[in-house]
PDB file of all heavy atoms in Angstrom:
ATOM      1  N   ILE A  21      40.261 121.981 139.491  1.00  0.00           N
ATOM      2  CA  ILE A  21      40.021 123.420 139.367  1.00  0.00           C
ATOM      3  C   ILE A  21      41.253 124.159 139.805  1.00  0.00           C
ATOM      4  O   ILE A  21      41.722 124.022 140.939  1.00  0.00           O
ATOM      5  CB  ILE A  21      38.818 123.834 140.221  1.00  0.00           C
ATOM      6  CG1 ILE A  21      37.564 123.085 139.786  1.00  0.00           C
ATOM      7  CG2 ILE A  21      38.610 125.350 140.155  1.00  0.00           C
ATOM      8  CD1 ILE A  21      36.361 123.356 140.608  1.00  0.00           C
ATOM      9  N   PHE A  55      54.164 160.740 105.107  1.00  0.00           N
ATOM     10  CA  PHE A  55      53.755 161.864 104.261  1.00  0.00           C
ATOM     11  C   PHE A  55      54.426 161.727 102.912  1.00  0.00           C
ATOM     12  O   PHE A  55      55.630 161.541 102.797  1.00  0.00           O
ATOM     13  CB  PHE A  55      54.149 163.171 104.936  1.00  0.00           C
ATOM     14  CG  PHE A  55      53.525 163.365 106.272  1.00  0.00           C
ATOM     15  CD1 PHE A  55      54.295 163.360 107.439  1.00  0.00           C
ATOM     16  CD2 PHE A  55      52.162 163.533 106.399  1.00  0.00           C
ATOM     17  CE1 PHE A  55      53.722 163.523 108.664  1.00  0.00           C
ATOM     18  CE2 PHE A  55      51.567 163.703 107.644  1.00  0.00           C
ATOM     19  CZ  PHE A  55      52.355 163.699 108.777  1.00  0.00           C
ATOM     20  N   GLU A  63      51.154 161.902  84.715  1.00  0.00           N
ATOM     21  CA  GLU A  63      51.011 160.479  85.096  1.00  0.00           C
ATOM     22  C   GLU A  63      50.308 160.356  86.430  1.00  0.00           C
ATOM     23  O   GLU A  63      49.412 159.547  86.599  1.00  0.00           O
ATOM     24  CB  GLU A  63      52.356 159.801  85.117  1.00  0.00           C
ATOM     25  CG  GLU A  63      53.029 159.619  83.760  1.00  0.00           C
ATOM     26  CD  GLU A  63      53.586 160.932  83.196  1.00  0.00           C
ATOM     27  OE1 GLU A  63      53.766 161.894  83.979  1.00  0.00           O
ATOM     28  OE2 GLU A  63      53.847 160.972  81.975  1.00  0.00           O
ATOM     29  N   GLU A  98      18.988 167.466  75.756  1.00  0.00           N
ATOM     30  CA  GLU A  98      19.901 166.390  76.141  1.00  0.00           C
ATOM     31  C   GLU A  98      19.196 165.290  76.944  1.00  0.00           C
ATOM     32  O   GLU A  98      19.786 164.585  77.757  1.00  0.00           O
ATOM     33  CB  GLU A  98      21.103 166.938  76.926  1.00  0.00           C
ATOM     34  CG  GLU A  98      21.837 168.031  76.147  1.00  0.00           C
ATOM     35  CD  GLU A  98      23.158 168.451  76.756  1.00  0.00           C
ATOM     36  OE1 GLU A  98      23.491 168.019  77.880  1.00  0.00           O
ATOM     37  OE2 GLU A  98      23.862 169.291  76.119  1.00  0.00           O
ATOM     38  N   PHE A 108      21.638 152.358  82.108  1.00  0.00           N
ATOM     39  CA  PHE A 108      22.634 151.455  82.691  1.00  0.00           C
ATOM     40  C   PHE A 108      22.592 151.452  84.219  1.00  0.00           C
ATOM     41  O   PHE A 108      23.050 150.485  84.839  1.00  0.00           O
ATOM     42  CB  PHE A 108      24.027 151.851  82.203  1.00  0.00           C
ATOM     43  CG  PHE A 108      24.312 151.500  80.789  1.00  0.00           C
ATOM     44  CD1 PHE A 108      24.374 152.485  79.789  1.00  0.00           C
ATOM     45  CD2 PHE A 108      24.511 150.208  80.400  1.00  0.00           C
ATOM     46  CE1 PHE A 108      24.637 152.162  78.480  1.00  0.00           C
ATOM     47  CE2 PHE A 108      24.783 149.847  79.083  1.00  0.00           C
ATOM     48  CZ  PHE A 108      24.827 150.838  78.115  1.00  0.00           C
ATOM     49  N   GLU A 129      35.522 137.799  69.986  1.00  0.00           N
ATOM     50  CA  GLU A 129      35.695 137.882  68.529  1.00  0.00           C
ATOM     51  C   GLU A 129      34.617 138.794  67.997  1.00  0.00           C
ATOM     52  O   GLU A 129      33.459 138.680  68.383  1.00  0.00           O
ATOM     53  CB  GLU A 129      35.589 136.497  67.890  1.00  0.00           C
ATOM     54  CG  GLU A 129      35.851 136.521  66.397  1.00  0.00           C
ATOM     55  CD  GLU A 129      35.837 135.132  65.773  1.00  0.00           C
ATOM     56  OE1 GLU A 129      36.764 134.361  65.994  1.00  0.00           O
ATOM     57  OE2 GLU A 129      34.832 134.853  65.078  1.00  0.00           O
ATOM     58  N   ARG A 148      41.230 166.165  67.068  1.00  0.00           N
ATOM     59  CA  ARG A 148      42.390 166.942  67.463  1.00  0.00           C
ATOM     60  C   ARG A 148      41.972 168.298  68.032  1.00  0.00           C
ATOM     61  O   ARG A 148      42.816 168.996  68.639  1.00  0.00           O
ATOM     62  CB  ARG A 148      43.338 167.120  66.284  1.00  0.00           C
ATOM     63  CG  ARG A 148      44.134 165.854  65.932  1.00  0.00           C
ATOM     64  CD  ARG A 148      45.106 166.100  64.804  1.00  0.00           C
ATOM     65  NE  ARG A 148      46.048 167.181  65.126  1.00  0.00           N
ATOM     66  CZ  ARG A 148      46.226 168.288  64.403  1.00  0.00           C
ATOM     67  NH1 ARG A 148      45.509 168.468  63.296  1.00  0.00           N
ATOM     68  NH2 ARG A 148      47.098 169.188  64.757  1.00  0.00           N
ATOM     69  N   TYR A 156      45.563 160.193  66.520  1.00  0.00           N
ATOM     70  CA  TYR A 156      46.808 159.444  66.661  1.00  0.00           C
ATOM     71  C   TYR A 156      46.840 158.789  68.050  1.00  0.00           C
ATOM     72  O   TYR A 156      47.199 157.587  68.172  1.00  0.00           O
ATOM     73  CB  TYR A 156      47.995 160.384  66.481  1.00  0.00           C
ATOM     74  CG  TYR A 156      48.009 161.046  65.163  1.00  0.00           C
ATOM     75  CD1 TYR A 156      47.624 162.389  65.007  1.00  0.00           C
ATOM     76  CD2 TYR A 156      48.352 160.353  63.993  1.00  0.00           C
ATOM     77  CE1 TYR A 156      47.618 163.012  63.777  1.00  0.00           C
ATOM     78  CE2 TYR A 156      48.333 160.974  62.735  1.00  0.00           C
ATOM     79  CZ  TYR A 156      47.974 162.307  62.644  1.00  0.00           C
ATOM     80  OH  TYR A 156      47.930 162.916  61.404  1.00  0.00           O
ATOM     81  N   GLU A 206      35.860 157.427  46.454  1.00  0.00           N
ATOM     82  CA  GLU A 206      37.280 157.708  46.662  1.00  0.00           C
ATOM     83  C   GLU A 206      37.691 157.411  48.092  1.00  0.00           C
ATOM     84  O   GLU A 206      38.745 156.781  48.340  1.00  0.00           O
ATOM     85  CB  GLU A 206      37.564 159.205  46.339  1.00  0.00           C
ATOM     86  CG  GLU A 206      39.010 159.585  46.592  1.00  0.00           C
ATOM     87  CD  GLU A 206      39.214 161.078  46.500  1.00  0.00           C
ATOM     88  OE1 GLU A 206      38.324 161.777  45.977  1.00  0.00           O
ATOM     89  OE2 GLU A 206      40.263 161.560  46.955  1.00  0.00           O
ATOM     90  N   GLY A 238      28.953 179.465  70.105  1.00  0.00           N
ATOM     91  CA  GLY A 238      29.467 179.982  68.813  1.00  0.00           C
ATOM     92  C   GLY A 238      30.504 179.044  68.214  1.00  0.00           C
ATOM     93  O   GLY A 238      31.465 179.488  67.613  1.00  0.00           O
ATOM     94  N   PHE A 263      47.399 173.661  70.801  1.00  0.00           N
ATOM     95  CA  PHE A 263      46.595 173.980  69.633  1.00  0.00           C
ATOM     96  C   PHE A 263      47.349 174.897  68.682  1.00  0.00           C
ATOM     97  O   PHE A 263      47.338 174.682  67.447  1.00  0.00           O
ATOM     98  CB  PHE A 263      45.301 174.655  70.094  1.00  0.00           C
ATOM     99  CG  PHE A 263      44.401 175.096  68.973  1.00  0.00           C
ATOM    100  CD1 PHE A 263      43.656 174.154  68.248  1.00  0.00           C
ATOM    101  CD2 PHE A 263      44.283 176.440  68.643  1.00  0.00           C
ATOM    102  CE1 PHE A 263      42.843 174.571  67.208  1.00  0.00           C
ATOM    103  CE2 PHE A 263      43.462 176.851  67.579  1.00  0.00           C
ATOM    104  CZ  PHE A 263      42.735 175.920  66.869  1.00  0.00           C
ATOM    105  N   THR A 270      42.255 170.497  60.214  1.00  0.00           N
ATOM    106  CA  THR A 270      41.528 170.351  58.980  1.00  0.00           C
ATOM    107  C   THR A 270      40.773 169.018  59.024  1.00  0.00           C
ATOM    108  O   THR A 270      41.100 168.139  59.798  1.00  0.00           O
ATOM    109  CB  THR A 270      42.458 170.346  57.742  1.00  0.00           C
ATOM    110  OG1 THR A 270      43.361 169.212  57.865  1.00  0.00           O
ATOM    111  CG2 THR A 270      43.242 171.632  57.652  1.00  0.00           C
ATOM    112  N   ARG A 276      39.341 171.561  52.769  1.00  0.00           N
ATOM    113  CA  ARG A 276      39.248 172.503  53.864  1.00  0.00           C
ATOM    114  C   ARG A 276      37.833 173.065  53.945  1.00  0.00           C
ATOM    115  O   ARG A 276      37.189 173.321  52.963  1.00  0.00           O
ATOM    116  CB  ARG A 276      40.260 173.636  53.664  1.00  0.00           C
ATOM    117  CG  ARG A 276      41.695 173.224  53.930  1.00  0.00           C
ATOM    118  CD  ARG A 276      42.624 174.411  53.828  1.00  0.00           C
ATOM    119  NE  ARG A 276      43.994 174.017  54.130  1.00  0.00           N
ATOM    120  CZ  ARG A 276      44.496 174.073  55.368  1.00  0.00           C
ATOM    121  NH1 ARG A 276      43.761 174.498  56.345  1.00  0.00           N
ATOM    122  NH2 ARG A 276      45.736 173.714  55.599  1.00  0.00           N
ATOM    123  N   ARG A 302      27.279 147.696  49.572  1.00  0.00           N
ATOM    124  CA  ARG A 302      27.575 146.276  49.719  1.00  0.00           C
ATOM    125  C   ARG A 302      28.303 145.722  48.505  1.00  0.00           C
ATOM    126  O   ARG A 302      29.215 144.901  48.616  1.00  0.00           O
ATOM    127  CB  ARG A 302      26.259 145.501  49.979  1.00  0.00           C
ATOM    128  CG  ARG A 302      26.433 143.997  50.164  1.00  0.00           C
ATOM    129  CD  ARG A 302      27.175 143.615  51.439  1.00  0.00           C
ATOM    130  NE  ARG A 302      28.638 143.772  51.369  1.00  0.00           N
ATOM    131  CZ  ARG A 302      29.469 143.577  52.366  1.00  0.00           C
ATOM    132  NH1 ARG A 302      29.020 143.184  53.551  1.00  0.00           N
ATOM    133  NH2 ARG A 302      30.774 143.749  52.200  1.00  0.00           N
ATOM    134  N   LYS A 308      34.075 143.822  55.726  1.00  0.00           N
ATOM    135  CA  LYS A 308      32.905 143.755  56.579  1.00  0.00           C
ATOM    136  C   LYS A 308      32.186 145.108  56.517  1.00  0.00           C
ATOM    137  O   LYS A 308      32.793 146.180  56.536  1.00  0.00           O
ATOM    138  CB  LYS A 308      33.306 143.455  58.022  1.00  0.00           C
ATOM    139  CG  LYS A 308      33.960 142.098  58.202  1.00  0.00           C
ATOM    140  CD  LYS A 308      32.987 140.975  57.922  1.00  0.00           C
ATOM    141  CE  LYS A 308      33.641 139.617  58.205  1.00  0.00           C
ATOM    142  NZ  LYS A 308      32.717 138.482  57.938  1.00  0.00           N
ATOM    143  N   ILE A 314      21.189 152.410  64.136  1.00  0.00           N
ATOM    144  CA  ILE A 314      19.980 151.592  64.146  1.00  0.00           C
ATOM    145  C   ILE A 314      19.208 151.895  65.427  1.00  0.00           C
ATOM    146  O   ILE A 314      19.754 151.811  66.537  1.00  0.00           O
ATOM    147  CB  ILE A 314      20.338 150.108  64.051  1.00  0.00           C
ATOM    148  CG1 ILE A 314      21.050 149.793  62.742  1.00  0.00           C
ATOM    149  CG2 ILE A 314      19.074 149.253  64.227  1.00  0.00           C
ATOM    150  CD1 ILE A 314      20.237 150.071  61.511  1.00  0.00           C
ATOM    151  N   ASP A 319      14.429 148.177  61.366  1.00  0.00           N
ATOM    152  CA  ASP A 319      15.579 148.626  60.581  1.00  0.00           C
ATOM    153  C   ASP A 319      16.796 147.735  60.758  1.00  0.00           C
ATOM    154  O   ASP A 319      17.570 147.533  59.843  1.00  0.00           O
ATOM    155  CB  ASP A 319      15.915 150.071  60.963  1.00  0.00           C
ATOM    156  CG  ASP A 319      14.973 151.093  60.323  1.00  0.00           C
ATOM    157  OD1 ASP A 319      14.266 150.706  59.391  1.00  0.00           O
ATOM    158  OD2 ASP A 319      14.985 152.251  60.738  1.00  0.00           O
ATOM    159  N   VAL A 324      20.357 144.112  57.613  1.00  0.00           N
ATOM    160  CA  VAL A 324      20.992 142.788  57.482  1.00  0.00           C
ATOM    161  C   VAL A 324      20.514 142.108  56.175  1.00  0.00           C
ATOM    162  O   VAL A 324      21.296 141.514  55.455  1.00  0.00           O
ATOM    163  CB  VAL A 324      20.666 141.931  58.727  1.00  0.00           C
ATOM    164  CG1 VAL A 324      21.111 140.451  58.478  1.00  0.00           C
ATOM    165  CG2 VAL A 324      21.345 142.478  59.939  1.00  0.00           C
ATOM    166  N   LEU A 333      23.639 149.581  67.397  1.00  0.00           N
ATOM    167  CA  LEU A 333      22.468 150.215  68.014  1.00  0.00           C
ATOM    168  C   LEU A 333      22.963 151.510  68.609  1.00  0.00           C
ATOM    169  O   LEU A 333      23.770 151.545  69.561  1.00  0.00           O
ATOM    170  CB  LEU A 333      21.876 149.315  69.070  1.00  0.00           C
ATOM    171  CG  LEU A 333      21.531 147.860  68.639  1.00  0.00           C
ATOM    172  CD1 LEU A 333      20.867 147.118  69.775  1.00  0.00           C
ATOM    173  CD2 LEU A 333      20.678 147.840  67.389  1.00  0.00           C
ATOM    174  N   ALA A 344      15.119 160.046  71.448  1.00  0.00           N
ATOM    175  CA  ALA A 344      15.263 158.900  70.565  1.00  0.00           C
ATOM    176  C   ALA A 344      15.282 157.616  71.411  1.00  0.00           C
ATOM    177  O   ALA A 344      15.498 157.650  72.611  1.00  0.00           O
ATOM    178  CB  ALA A 344      16.540 159.028  69.750  1.00  0.00           C
ATOM    179  N   ALA A 357      15.114 139.152  67.855  1.00  0.00           N
ATOM    180  CA  ALA A 357      14.760 139.133  66.441  1.00  0.00           C
ATOM    181  C   ALA A 357      15.824 138.421  65.612  1.00  0.00           C
ATOM    182  O   ALA A 357      15.485 137.606  64.726  1.00  0.00           O
ATOM    183  CB  ALA A 357      14.561 140.555  65.902  1.00  0.00           C
ATOM    184  N   ALA A 381      26.932 144.628  81.358  1.00  0.00           N
ATOM    185  CA  ALA A 381      25.488 144.553  81.286  1.00  0.00           C
ATOM    186  C   ALA A 381      24.993 144.416  79.835  1.00  0.00           C
ATOM    187  O   ALA A 381      24.098 143.620  79.537  1.00  0.00           O
ATOM    188  CB  ALA A 381      24.876 145.770  81.927  1.00  0.00           C
ATOM    189  N   VAL A 428      31.311 134.772  86.738  1.00  0.00           N
ATOM    190  CA  VAL A 428      31.623 134.292  85.404  1.00  0.00           C
ATOM    191  C   VAL A 428      33.083 134.633  85.086  1.00  0.00           C
ATOM    192  O   VAL A 428      33.598 135.653  85.513  1.00  0.00           O
ATOM    193  CB  VAL A 428      30.721 134.933  84.333  1.00  0.00           C
ATOM    194  CG1 VAL A 428      29.266 134.542  84.575  1.00  0.00           C
ATOM    195  CG2 VAL A 428      30.863 136.415  84.276  1.00  0.00           C
TER     196      VAL A 428
END
Side-chain angles (χ1 to χ4, degrees):
I21 300 175
F55 301 111
E63 291 74 17
E98 305 189 354
F108 286 108
E129 183 177 287
R148 287 183 56 237
Y156 302 103
E206 178 189 345
F263 177 75
T270 60
R276 287 184 176 270
R302 180 67 283 176
K308 298 293 185 180
I314 298 299
D319 282 346
V324 171
L333 308 183
V428 299

